[in-house]
Amino acid sequence: MKKLVVCLAMLGMLVGCSSEPEVEKVNVCKGTSEGNDIVNTIKYVDEKVNSVTYQNTIVVSESLVDYIKDYADNYKETVKDIEGLTYEYTIDGTTIVETTTVDYTVADFSELAAAGLITTGENETVDYIDYSLTLKYMTDIGLTCTEQE
């Protein structure tokens, strides 16, 4: 009888410990704004956003390339120490591709708020970025979002 109780207890522990792991999902939002191509990729689990990658492709006149490069270099220098944020760009002729990724799993939300990258109410703390609100924002600005498989 004692062996049966021990076996049932072990079985209960195994069942209790074998829950399915959280699966990260991906939603890609695409569109154009003022002639610029936008591709934003949201990675999330349940209602918490893990990261968002914003990619903007801009075609400018040749006379603006140096100005944009200086602006991008300055912006990169400004955000380089913000934990969880990466900014990169490439220039090919007059086509500029900017890629900004915010990894909310390691980011300091108060630092992001201070930099104006997220908004909070006065005396409000942020614990996570809500997936539904992020998706609503993407569709409100005219992007079409598609859940990836």
Side-chain angles (χ1 to χ4, degrees):
M1 184 68 167
K2 188 176 180 181
K3 286 182 183 180
L4 179 61
V5 171
V6 171
C7 287
L8 288 175
M10 290 179 66
L11 179 62
M13 287 181 4
L14 287 174
V15 170
C17 296
S18 65
S19 63
E20 289 189 33
E22 296 179 331
V23 176
E24 184 175 73
K25 297 177 183 175
V26 177
N27 200 327
V28 176
C29 302
K30 297 179 180 182
T32 58
S33 175
E34 299 176 12
N36 303 321
D37 292 329
I38 301 169
V39 179
N40 295 340
T41 304
I42 309 166
K43 294 182 179 181
Y44 67 100
V45 174
D46 296 327
E47 279 299 305
K48 292 184 178 182
V49 175
N50 288 342
S51 68
V52 179
T53 298
Y54 305 90
Q55 185 178 63
N56 299 309
T57 302
I58 307 161
V59 178
V60 299
S61 66
E62 214 171 299
S63 63
L64 288 177
V65 171
D66 288 336
Y67 171 78
I68 298 291
K69 182 183 180 319
D70 289 343
Y71 177 84
D73 286 338
N74 287 334
Y75 184 73
K76 188 173 186 172
E77 184 65 26
T78 301
V79 300
K80 73 176 183 177
D81 294 326
I82 297 176
E83 188 173 3
L85 185 136
T86 58
Y87 172 79
E88 298 173 351
Y89 72 92
T90 59
I91 298 176
D92 184 10
T94 58
T95 301
I96 299 162
V97 178
E98 294 181 294
T99 305
T100 304
T101 300
V102 183
D103 183 347
Y104 296 110
T105 64
V106 297
D108 179 337
F109 290 106
S110 59
E111 190 176 22
L112 293 175
L117 298 170
I118 60 172
T119 56
T120 61
E122 192 173 323
N123 298 323
E124 184 179 51
T125 58
V126 176
D127 296 322
Y128 67 96
I129 302 300
D130 185 83
Y131 170 69
S132 295
L133 292 175
T134 302
L135 187 61
K136 181 179 179 338
Y137 169 77
M138 298 289 183
T139 57
D140 284 353
I141 63 171
L143 302 181
T144 302
C145 300
T146 306
E147 192 76 29
Q148 304 299 296
E149 306 226 1

